[in-house]
Amino acid sequence: MQTRDQLRQQSDQLQALLGRCDLLVSPDEMQATYARLAEEINRQLAGRLPVVLAVMNGGLVSAGQIVPRLTFPLELSYLHATRYRGATTGGALKWLAQPDIELAGREVLLIDDILDEGHTLAAVREWCLDAGAERVWIAVATEKAHERKVPDLAADFPGIVVPDRYIFGEGMDYHGYFRNLPGIHALPEGE
């Protein structure tokens, strides 16, 4: 267990790091992105009575911004499958929680914070289809610009494109911290 002084020191170090980071996408740009995504989802999924699943933990913020803007009936739940567990690179997929809503015969909308390489989203999409989902839609707040994505995986509702850097904020974390920050921040080049 960390002492109060250790926690204060860690907080100071994180604040110092944040001061050196780049703000890639402003909070206002993210709000405009969420509004655009919701508008596109409203046009496409109205009348379909979908199950909307927030992909935890990162998708919590994105879902919290998008879902209140959706104007049609839906069922809402979450799932928690991760490859990162606080690290900066992914590992094996680990399920922490599965949704409590029956997916058989339903259209499902997955909402997540980012489409990076897409291994987690591809595995979650496959799990939903195996559970009987008629169709799985994917909405992401951000998408990294690179060519390392899982083949045949694309967001149906893509958010803002960001450079291939370590980013955090808007649900994405830096070693478990900073998910709460508005806007998209990036570590300084070389760190």
Side-chain angles (χ1 to χ4, degrees), residues 44-51 72-73 106-107 134-135 137:
Q44 189 66 43
L45 298 183
R48 295 178 185 248
L49 206 62
V51 173
F72 53 83
R106 303 290 298 277
E107 292 192 38
E134 182 178 309
R135 178 165 181 180
W137 304 81

Side-chain angles (χ1 to χ4, degrees), residues 30-38 61-62 65-66 69 141 170:
M30 284 307 303
Q31 287 302 309
T33 298
Y34 294 131
R36 176 184 56 80
L37 287 169
V61 172
S62 301
Q65 293 292 329
I66 294 169
R69 292 176 162 111
E170 298 289 342

Side-chain angles (χ1 to χ4, degrees), residues 106-179:
R106 303 290 298 277
E107 292 192 38
V108 174
L109 171 63
L110 300 174
I111 299 179
D112 207 354
D113 53 358
I114 187 167
L115 175 54
D116 190 345
E117 292 179 4
H119 296 285
T120 301
L121 275 173
V124 168
R125 177 185 65 183
E126 205 54 43
W127 182 89
C128 291
L129 291 169
D130 289 346
E134 182 178 309
R135 178 165 181 180
V136 178
W137 304 81
I138 297 173
V140 293
T142 58
E143 185 169 349
K144 278 200 183 172
H146 61 64
E147 300 301 319
R148 300 184 310 275
K149 291 182 180 62
V150 170
D152 301 321
L153 180 74
D156 301 287
F157 307 103
I160 198 160
V161 176
V162 295
D164 189 16
R165 293 176 62 186
Y166 188 92
I167 60 174
F168 56 91
E170 298 289 342
M172 294 169 280
D173 72 300
Y174 173 76
H175 297 289
Y177 295 96
F178 294 136
R179 287 186 191 276

